[in-house]
Amino acid sequence: MSSEQGASPSTITLSMPEADIAVLTLDMQDKGANILSRSVLVELAAHLETLEAQPNLAGVVFISGKPNMFIAGADLREFVASLNAPKEDVIALSKEGQDLFARFTKLPAVSVVAIDGICVGGGAELAVWCDRRIMSDGPKTEIGFPEVKLGLFPGWGGTARTPRIVGLGNAVELVTGGESIDAQAARAMGLVSDIVPAADLLPAAVRLIRIEQQTGQFRKDRQSWAGPIRMSETELGFLGATASAVIQGQTKGQYPAPLAALEVMMGGSMMDIQAACEFEATEFAKLFGSEVNRSLLNIFFLTDRNKKDEGVDDTSLSPESVNSAAVIGAGIMGAGIAAANVKRGISVSLTDANKGALAKGVSNVLTEVSFNKATRQADVDLAVKMAPLINGTVSDAEVAACDVVIEAVVENADVKKSIYKRLEPLLGDNTILASNTSTIPITGLAKDLAHPDRFCGIHFFNPVRKMKLVEVIRGEKTSDQTVVTAVAYAKRLGKFPIVVNDGPGFLVNRLLLPYMNEALELLCEGAEIAVIEKVAKAFGMPMGPITLYDVVGLDTAFYAGRVMWEAFPDRISASPVLPALVKAGRLGQKSGAGFFSYQNPKKKGEFDPEIAKFIDPYKKGDREFDKQEIENRLFLPMLLEATRVLQEKIVRDVRDVDLGLIFGIGFPPFKGGLLHWADRVGAKELLERLKTLESLGARTKPTELLQSMAAEGKTFYSN
Ligand code: NAI
């Protein structure tokens, strides 16, 4: 017997495979993922009402109609629409969800969720409100509470229910860490009762219902999970102190949600479930709509948009398939790019003019791809599996036979062009030729090519394995087809590609250079290295600009700085400090010394008094700087450069600037991106701050765009 009920259009269907077993199947017909939107919750409420009126039911199974997909969470667009809602409304929404799901524990029947695929956020909350959970053994099956990654914690009872089922320690780890766990781990902590093949989920759920009805265990659990958690004060105190220390170390006070989640779970553990839920709702409302919550939601939408964006406006084009890639230059970047391909199953031909460099490059690729994240060691099986995908070669024919050819040799236009000249005649008709250059304009590199339409920049960031950004750079003659293929290829490597127009430094380095340049200016005006670093880190940067110089390499930074200085001499100064250090062989981390010294066994940067010798001769002053002044000096020139980039249409959308900086240089995610941050400060306030830097000239002069935004009360995102 099967019947369809509920609101229209119906996403949850109720069926009765046996006379006393009800099955609720969730399937959002027009969507790839099931999402707990308000309308779905209304439907669920209606179904629960029907089931509550059936006293002879033995059990209710909640399952998804989509293979490999249980529930991907709450509807975040609805969240965004309520960000400015009064706190009482947020608390009410939270309680509504808790009350709705709590009805699963009040049914006369046993409630079981049967999970195949992803079960996160609101979906995991629904799951923990049911009496029992079973999971499929599918590779995509996982359960988790990723809310902290959005600056929140579960607000539909997740923080109250989970510790009662799996114990406070496990729940704290799940909720404050935000990482999902697989079925095995879920079973080990008592979160799920059984793991079965996806096709067997429903019969297994029915079997479980029969057993529960016989033993009556679910009734005992209902009773004990309604009360406080039994734990000694010593245990509680120890757990609180250790978890809080770990969280503070990880979040550095910049992400409040994990600590707030810990406090809610610790506090709630001593109350009955009703009070714990009320506590959760009140505390949830404090995080909802906070600056960090808004910023992290912004990042969610930036990445979501990026996943759907094909890189061009013409949606009729489809990417050419890429099954093989060649990488020319087996250095830091070339080896990193080759490894990224191998990890995604794309075979790679790696070549280098220097045989020693090629051998080292191939060995570096193998080391990287055979690293097993779980054991944190090299894995022989992985190495054996991956090795056939990497071909170290000196044959131009083998290189040219690949679908994409990426050049990553030294940053020298003549060397790069001579390689293109030699290889281009050998390439297939659809092969894309690309450069990984970080600064040299693409249009110029393409000048002598027979097919400049099939040439573009595919600019990876260092280290490739860590940085998710790729800039796909369009030369004047690059075709849309080439862009679409390059974008799809970068996505296949697991990256976020943004399409940018040609120009000095493209997008990310163009915005980074003013920031790094300003750090040197500050040094020469008497600011201390430690103070500059501290301010940048307090702002949220992963490292200060002076450390960044040492990481990038002072020679590389000098070269990139020169390109920018030549392009924008009124705004970028050619600081004499860099060439002085380079001349002395202080190239940064790689040479054991740069601004800092790296002579200790751990190669950790240490202050080196010798550095004064390289700065003092160029000192223009010596005074104290306050924190706000340094912050303004570092970040406002970067912001002004971003407004110029927008004016020049280097990017297709403001959101690409934010995505680029977050995933290319680690701009603080809790600030939501440079322009998101600037919008929260406001154009008028930014102009006020810039006034204090007027004496610095062109590099801090407000741009037309910023001025017009201030005059019209606009924001970057509303533009
Ligand atoms: P690298 O110095 O580590 O490697 C360059 C390799 O190219 C060397 O192994 C060299 O032997 C080889 N090579 C030189 N001339 C060659 C030729 N004619 N044919 C074949 N191989 C040749 O340099 P790295 O850092 O890997 O940079 C490579 C490219 O990537 C440059 O264009 C650089 O601007 C760009 N890039 C560098 C980043 C970085 O942080 N190092 C970041 C993003 C881009």
Side-chain angles (χ1 to χ4, degrees), residues 329 331-333 352-353 357 408-409 411 415-416 419 436 438 459-460 462:
I332 302 177
M333 294 304 290
D352 199 292
V409 305
E411 189 75 338
V415 176
K416 289 177 190 284
I419 293 174
N436 183 52
S438 42
H459 179 206
F460 292 82
N462 187 12

Side-chain angles (χ1 to χ4, degrees), residues 125-182:
E125 293 193 272
L126 185 152
V128 294
W129 274 109
C130 286
D131 291 311
R132 295 288 180 265
R133 289 142 294 281
I134 54 175
M135 287 176 107
S136 84
D137 58 5
K140 294 203 170 143
T141 297
E142 60 173 57
I143 183 163
F145 298 98
E147 286 86 348
V148 289
K149 293 183 180 170
L150 296 174
L152 297 171
F153 51 70
W156 285 337
T159 69
R161 265 302 273 196
T162 315
R164 283 166 171 76
I165 300 171
V166 300
L168 193 55
N170 284 328
V172 161
E173 202 174 321
L174 264 179
V175 173
T176 64
E179 297 300 332
S180 290
I181 52 172
D182 63 15

Side-chain angles (χ1 to χ4, degrees), residues 45-340:
H47 283 303
L48 285 170
E49 207 172 316
T50 310
L51 299 174
E52 283 156 356
Q54 298 190 25
N56 298 326
L57 273 187
V60 175
V61 183
F62 191 100
I63 196 165
S64 161
K66 294 185 195 300
N68 284 321
M69 160 54 63
F70 183 69
I71 294 173
D75 187 332
L76 294 181
R77 281 177 213 282
E78 289 180 355
F79 270 36
V80 171
S82 322
L83 279 179
N84 296 324
K87 292 286 163 240
E88 311 83 74
D89 293 7
V90 179
I91 294 174
L93 277 176
S94 181
K95 284 188 176 166
E96 244 174 68
Q98 296 167 349
D99 291 345
L100 172 65
F101 291 164
R103 287 161 71 179
F104 278 112
T105 62
K106 292 175 188 146
L107 287 171
V110 187
S111 50
V112 178
V113 273
I115 302 162
D116 176 36
I118 183 168
C119 169
V120 292
E125 293 193 272
L126 185 152
V128 294
W129 274 109
C130 286
D131 291 311
R132 295 288 180 265
R133 289 142 294 281
I134 54 175
M135 287 176 107
S136 84
D137 58 5
K140 294 203 170 143
T141 297
E142 60 173 57
I143 183 163
F145 298 98
E147 286 86 348
V148 289
K149 293 183 180 170
L150 296 174
L152 297 171
F153 51 70
W156 285 337
T159 69
R161 265 302 273 196
T162 315
R164 283 166 171 76
I165 300 171
V166 300
L168 193 55
N170 284 328
V172 161
E173 202 174 321
L174 264 179
V175 173
T176 64
E179 297 300 332
S180 290
I181 52 172
D182 63 15
Q184 303 290 346
R187 180 163 61 185
M189 67 169 66
L191 188 55
V192 305
S193 315
D194 206 357
I195 305 173
V196 297
D200 194 32
L201 272 176
L202 198 49
V206 175
R207 284 197 297 274
L208 186 59
I209 288 168
R210 301 285 175 223
I211 295 171
E212 289 291 335
Q213 285 294 3
Q214 263 177 13
T215 61
Q217 183 60 40
F218 77 102
R219 287 202 188 86
K220 290 180 205 150
D221 286 345
R222 279 185 184 184
Q223 204 178 9
S224 89
W225 292 343
I229 295 176
R230 266 179 241 118
M231 222 174 156
S232 75
E233 283 208 2
T234 327
E235 266 180 302
L236 202 62
F238 180 72
L239 175 67
T242 43
S244 143
V246 170
I247 293 170
Q248 292 191 41
Q250 283 166 348
T251 58
K252 302 187 178 73
Q254 289 161 337
Y255 297 85
L259 208 52
L262 174 67
E263 279 163 17
V264 159
M265 283 191 283
M266 301 282 295
S269 69
M270 291 176 283
M271 308 169 181
D272 66 31
I273 186 102
Q274 184 67 28
C277 281
E278 276 171 30
F279 185 37
E280 177 192 87
T282 326
E283 297 305 303
F284 175 83
K286 290 182 187 161
L287 294 179
F288 192 85
S290 64
E291 287 299 324
V292 175
N293 174 220
R294 285 167 198 268
S295 297
L296 296 177
L297 274 170
N298 189 50
I299 297 178
F300 173 84
F301 288 111
L302 292 178
T303 54
D304 192 52
R305 171 182 168 273
N306 187 267
K307 283 178 195 150
K308 292 169 190 155
D309 181 26
E310 288 170 0
V312 297
D313 300 330
D314 179 354
T315 50
S316 69
L317 294 170
S318 337
E320 306 280 348
S321 64
V322 173
N323 298 313
S324 57
V327 181
I328 309 167
I332 302 177
M333 294 304 290
I337 297 166

